Amino acid sequence: MKQGILIVFEGIDGTGKSTQCGLLAKSLSERQVSNIALAEPTRGTWGTKIRRLLSEGRQGVSPEEELSWFVNDRKEDIEMNIMPALQDNKVVLMDRYYFSTAAYQGALGLDSKQIQLENENFAPIPDRVLIFLTSPETCLDRIESSRDHKSAFEKLDYLKNVQKIFKSFEGPNIRFIDSVDSVAEVHKIVLAETEDLFDFGVK
Ligand code: TYD
């Protein structure tokens, strides 16, 4: 049985979601709320294979094959990290989860709705999904100033399609956050969009 609280940070590269994930983890720790921050792709066997694909390009790897790597990585992550932490009653903060798979692999031409449904057959459903939105042009500028080169996943047209899919998600657990303001301002929004999940006010 799932206990704990699962909060997911999603959005295209350069929206600042990883920074915000880290800041919420810090806020929770300061309030003695037991939490763990995880990220996908992981550093495990499948995650390592994926990272090689990211840095070296797809080189003949089909979208279906790529999708299966992300799914395998997630299954391992759920079994080894996510479920144990939830059962331990922790707040689990995920930097990317299956919404990224639906959006990124969906933008390669696969059926994003089906990817979402297939993942929901084995993956715990998050209590909250924060989807960070920034214009893809701004995101690419941010990426370019922080990295030496773009990965295969960071081309403008592709990111536009990915963000379009992110915007199409709906449900009671989904929240969209415009991440154009300062890091501190966006952090306040993150707190406001999650504090009802905790039995105390995070301010
Ligand atoms: P990212 O969060 O940017 O990792 P890092 O900060 O370590 O570079 O994730 C790497 C890329 O993986 C990113 O461009 C999105 C992509 N991705 C998918 O295509 N599908 C998925 O299911 C996930 C989790 C990530």
mmCIF file of all heavy atoms in Angstrom, residues 2 23 31 34 44 57 83 90 95 104-105 130 156 203:
data_model
loop_
_atom_site.group_PDB
_atom_site.id
_atom_site.type_symbol
_atom_site.label_atom_id
_atom_site.label_comp_id
_atom_site.label_asym_id
_atom_site.label_seq_id
_atom_site.Cartn_x
_atom_site.Cartn_y
_atom_site.Cartn_z
ATOM 1 N N LYS A 2 0.437 2.242 -0.775
ATOM 2 C CA LYS A 2 1.233 3.469 -0.854
ATOM 3 C C LYS A 2 0.919 4.388 0.327
ATOM 4 O O LYS A 2 -0.227 4.646 0.629
ATOM 5 C CB LYS A 2 0.925 4.177 -2.177
ATOM 6 C CG LYS A 2 1.573 5.534 -2.329
ATOM 7 C CD LYS A 2 1.225 6.110 -3.677
ATOM 8 C CE LYS A 2 0.988 7.594 -3.735
ATOM 9 N NZ LYS A 2 0.879 8.387 -2.570
ATOM 10 N N LEU A 23 14.970 23.108 -4.098
ATOM 11 C CA LEU A 23 14.541 24.108 -3.106
ATOM 12 C C LEU A 23 13.399 23.592 -2.239
ATOM 13 O O LEU A 23 13.357 23.857 -1.031
ATOM 14 C CB LEU A 23 14.108 25.408 -3.805
ATOM 15 C CG LEU A 23 15.236 26.280 -4.346
ATOM 16 C CD1 LEU A 23 14.666 27.481 -5.078
ATOM 17 C CD2 LEU A 23 16.152 26.723 -3.209
ATOM 18 N N ARG A 31 11.987 21.987 7.813
ATOM 19 C CA ARG A 31 10.818 21.805 8.688
ATOM 20 C C ARG A 31 10.730 20.377 9.211
ATOM 21 O O ARG A 31 9.668 19.919 9.614
ATOM 22 C CB ARG A 31 9.556 22.170 7.913
ATOM 23 C CG ARG A 31 9.449 23.663 7.698
ATOM 24 C CD ARG A 31 8.506 24.005 6.571
ATOM 25 N NE ARG A 31 8.446 25.423 6.367
ATOM 26 C CZ ARG A 31 9.366 26.118 5.692
ATOM 27 N NH1 ARG A 31 10.409 25.497 5.142
ATOM 28 N NH2 ARG A 31 9.250 27.428 5.568
ATOM 29 N N SER A 34 10.511 14.478 6.547
ATOM 30 C CA SER A 34 11.370 13.471 5.947
ATOM 31 C C SER A 34 11.096 13.386 4.442
ATOM 32 O O SER A 34 9.966 13.150 4.017
ATOM 33 C CB SER A 34 11.069 12.156 6.649
ATOM 34 O OG SER A 34 11.726 11.136 6.010
ATOM 35 N N GLY A 44 21.169 4.336 -12.744
ATOM 36 C CA GLY A 44 21.238 2.874 -12.816
ATOM 37 C C GLY A 44 21.626 2.381 -14.208
ATOM 38 O O GLY A 44 22.049 3.158 -15.065
ATOM 39 N N GLY A 57 23.721 10.960 -29.278
ATOM 40 C CA GLY A 57 22.715 10.973 -30.342
ATOM 41 C C GLY A 57 22.065 9.602 -30.470
ATOM 42 O O GLY A 57 22.574 8.619 -29.935
ATOM 43 N N MET A 83 9.042 3.201 -4.230
ATOM 44 C CA MET A 83 8.131 2.493 -3.321
ATOM 45 C C MET A 83 8.700 2.382 -1.907
ATOM 46 O O MET A 83 7.983 2.659 -0.941
ATOM 47 C CB MET A 83 7.758 1.107 -3.887
ATOM 48 C CG MET A 83 6.665 1.133 -4.939
ATOM 49 S SD MET A 83 5.217 2.148 -4.552
ATOM 50 C CE MET A 83 4.432 1.156 -3.308
ATOM 51 N N LYS A 90 7.797 8.807 3.454
ATOM 52 C CA LYS A 90 8.544 10.016 3.080
ATOM 53 C C LYS A 90 7.789 10.832 2.034
ATOM 54 O O LYS A 90 6.955 10.304 1.305
ATOM 55 C CB LYS A 90 9.885 9.621 2.468
ATOM 56 C CG LYS A 90 10.862 9.064 3.497
ATOM 57 C CD LYS A 90 12.272 9.072 2.922
ATOM 58 C CE LYS A 90 13.258 8.768 4.025
ATOM 59 N NZ LYS A 90 14.082 7.596 3.779
ATOM 60 N N ASP A 95 12.355 14.602 -9.896
ATOM 61 C CA ASP A 95 12.739 15.456 -11.010
ATOM 62 C C ASP A 95 12.543 14.606 -12.267
ATOM 63 O O ASP A 95 13.401 13.809 -12.601
ATOM 64 C CB ASP A 95 14.202 15.884 -10.829
ATOM 65 C CG ASP A 95 14.666 16.850 -11.898
ATOM 66 O OD1 ASP A 95 13.932 17.058 -12.874
ATOM 67 O OD2 ASP A 95 15.782 17.374 -11.749
ATOM 68 N N TYR A 104 8.100 13.584 -24.162
ATOM 69 C CA TYR A 104 9.299 13.503 -25.017
ATOM 70 C C TYR A 104 9.212 12.379 -26.052
ATOM 71 O O TYR A 104 9.544 12.579 -27.218
ATOM 72 C CB TYR A 104 10.558 13.308 -24.166
ATOM 73 C CG TYR A 104 11.077 14.585 -23.541
ATOM 74 C CD1 TYR A 104 10.555 15.064 -22.345
ATOM 75 C CD2 TYR A 104 12.088 15.322 -24.151
ATOM 76 C CE1 TYR A 104 11.027 16.230 -21.765
ATOM 77 C CE2 TYR A 104 12.569 16.482 -23.587
ATOM 78 C CZ TYR A 104 12.035 16.945 -22.388
ATOM 79 O OH TYR A 104 12.495 18.095 -21.821
ATOM 80 N N GLN A 105 8.782 11.180 -25.616
ATOM 81 C CA GLN A 105 8.703 10.085 -26.590
ATOM 82 C C GLN A 105 7.431 10.258 -27.429
ATOM 83 O O GLN A 105 7.405 9.858 -28.588
ATOM 84 C CB GLN A 105 8.788 8.731 -25.883
ATOM 85 C CG GLN A 105 10.226 8.298 -25.521
ATOM 86 C CD GLN A 105 10.942 9.263 -24.583
ATOM 87 O OE1 GLN A 105 10.469 9.556 -23.489
ATOM 88 N NE2 GLN A 105 12.086 9.788 -25.025
ATOM 89 N N LEU A 130 3.745 19.114 -10.824
ATOM 90 C CA LEU A 130 3.992 20.527 -11.124
ATOM 91 C C LEU A 130 4.637 20.588 -12.504
ATOM 92 O O LEU A 130 5.732 20.054 -12.707
ATOM 93 C CB LEU A 130 4.920 21.136 -10.071
ATOM 94 C CG LEU A 130 4.469 20.987 -8.610
ATOM 95 C CD1 LEU A 130 5.531 21.552 -7.675
ATOM 96 C CD2 LEU A 130 3.130 21.687 -8.389
ATOM 97 N N LEU A 156 14.928 23.151 -30.907
ATOM 98 C CA LEU A 156 13.764 24.015 -30.716
ATOM 99 C C LEU A 156 12.422 23.393 -31.133
ATOM 100 O O LEU A 156 11.482 23.359 -30.340
ATOM 101 C CB LEU A 156 13.983 25.358 -31.428
ATOM 102 C CG LEU A 156 12.872 26.389 -31.220
ATOM 103 C CD1 LEU A 156 12.682 26.730 -29.749
ATOM 104 C CD2 LEU A 156 13.143 27.659 -32.021
ATOM 105 N N LYS A 203 5.824 28.045 4.887
ATOM 106 C CA LYS A 203 5.844 29.441 4.468
ATOM 107 C C LYS A 203 7.271 29.847 4.164
ATOM 108 O O LYS A 203 8.187 29.306 4.728
ATOM 109 C CB LYS A 203 5.262 30.344 5.542
ATOM 110 C CG LYS A 203 3.731 30.233 5.604
ATOM 111 C CD LYS A 203 3.069 31.218 4.650
ATOM 112 C CE LYS A 203 1.789 30.689 4.004
ATOM 113 N NZ LYS A 203 0.833 30.019 4.837
#
